[in-house]
Amino acid sequence: FVSAQKTVGEHYINDLAIFEDHLFVVGSTDGVDIFDITNLAAPVKIGNYNGGKSLTAITFSTDEQGICFLGNAAGGFEVVNISDVTSPQKIAEYSGGGVVGDNIQGMLYSAGYLYLAAGQGGLQVLDVGNSSAPVKIIEFRNNFGSANKLVVSNNNDIAYVANGRAGIRVMNLSD
């Protein structure tokens, strides 16, 4: 136990993630607050990114240094350069029109692919090998229910999707 309950963001928190020595706190209205957590008992806010949308989820590229993806409530996502965590810069933005389908509730990056739990939009898989030009390669939508969160197997062939009251959907991605 490092410290008692501590508020590190001033907004409703939708997601959070650690990248290197930094905590990224995704809020619905204030964007992403970035904290230096080298001293675990006393995080220090060092940056903020606000793309103007209600943000819902975050994941980081493991292939491109300093790139993160931010899902939003409008069903799209933003690609952000976080090489300078004190001043993140938007590289690209993608709307829900034709790319995804609903409120992005969970996202995961693995081996050049971005996996999105897109609420009523189901599971979306995009090729983001070129982060400035993603291409949707598969969508599981029919009778899917609401895709809330997801994890993908180590070899990227199986997705496990939290599907609200319908339980967990296991999706074969290898075909």
Side-chain angles (χ1 to χ4, degrees), residues 6 13 16 20 25 27 78-79 83 85 100 107 117 132 145 165 172:
K6 193 176 239 358
I13 297 171
L16 54 108
E20 297 175 347
V25 179
E78 298 175 33
V79 183
S83 296
V85 293
V100 294
M107 54 194 330
S132 63
R165 290 183 182 206
N172 182 350

Side-chain angles (χ1 to χ4, degrees), residues 67-119:
I67 299 296
C68 79
F69 300 91
L70 297 167
N72 65 51
F77 62 92
E78 298 175 33
V79 183
V80 178
N81 183 331
I82 56 167
S83 296
D84 177 0
V85 293
T86 63
S87 182
Q89 301 296 314
K90 183 188 305 185
I91 296 172
E93 180 176 352
Y94 302 92
S95 68
V99 177
V100 294
D102 198 10
N103 178 9
I104 305 304
Q105 298 180 24
M107 54 194 330
L108 174 80
Y109 177 91
S110 180
Y113 295 98
L114 186 62
Y115 299 86
L116 304 173

Side-chain angles (χ1 to χ4, degrees), residues 6-152:
K6 193 176 239 358
T7 302
V8 294
E10 291 106 32
H11 45 258
Y12 184 86
I13 297 171
N14 288 325
D15 201 4
L16 54 108
I18 293 176
F19 183 75
E20 297 175 347
D21 291 329
H22 302 99
L23 175 66
F24 290 72
V25 179
V26 178
S28 58
T29 57
D30 295 329
V32 180
D33 285 337
I34 304 164
F35 295 85
D36 181 322
I37 56 170
T38 52
N39 179 351
L40 297 176
V44 176
K45 183 177 175 180
I46 58 169
N48 176 272
Y49 171 80
N50 192 338
K53 301 247 193 258
S54 179
L55 299 177
T56 56
I58 187 170
T59 192
F60 301 95
S61 171
T62 54
D63 299 324
E64 279 186 88
Q65 188 67 22
I67 299 296
C68 79
F69 300 91
L70 297 167
N72 65 51
F77 62 92
E78 298 175 33
V79 183
V80 178
N81 183 331
I82 56 167
S83 296
D84 177 0
V85 293
T86 63
S87 182
Q89 301 296 314
K90 183 188 305 185
I91 296 172
E93 180 176 352
Y94 302 92
S95 68
V99 177
V100 294
D102 198 10
N103 178 9
I104 305 304
Q105 298 180 24
M107 54 194 330
L108 174 80
Y109 177 91
S110 180
Y113 295 98
L114 186 62
Y115 299 86
L116 304 173
Q120 296 299 317
L123 171 66
Q124 313 280 328
V125 183
L126 293 95
D127 181 338
V128 291
N130 176 356
S131 59
S132 63
V135 176
K136 182 168 51 171
I137 58 171
I138 196 163
E139 173 181 302
F140 296 99
R141 217 177 160 140
N142 293 343
N143 300 319
F144 201 85
S146 182
N148 301 318
K149 298 289 179 191
L150 63 112
V151 295
V152 177

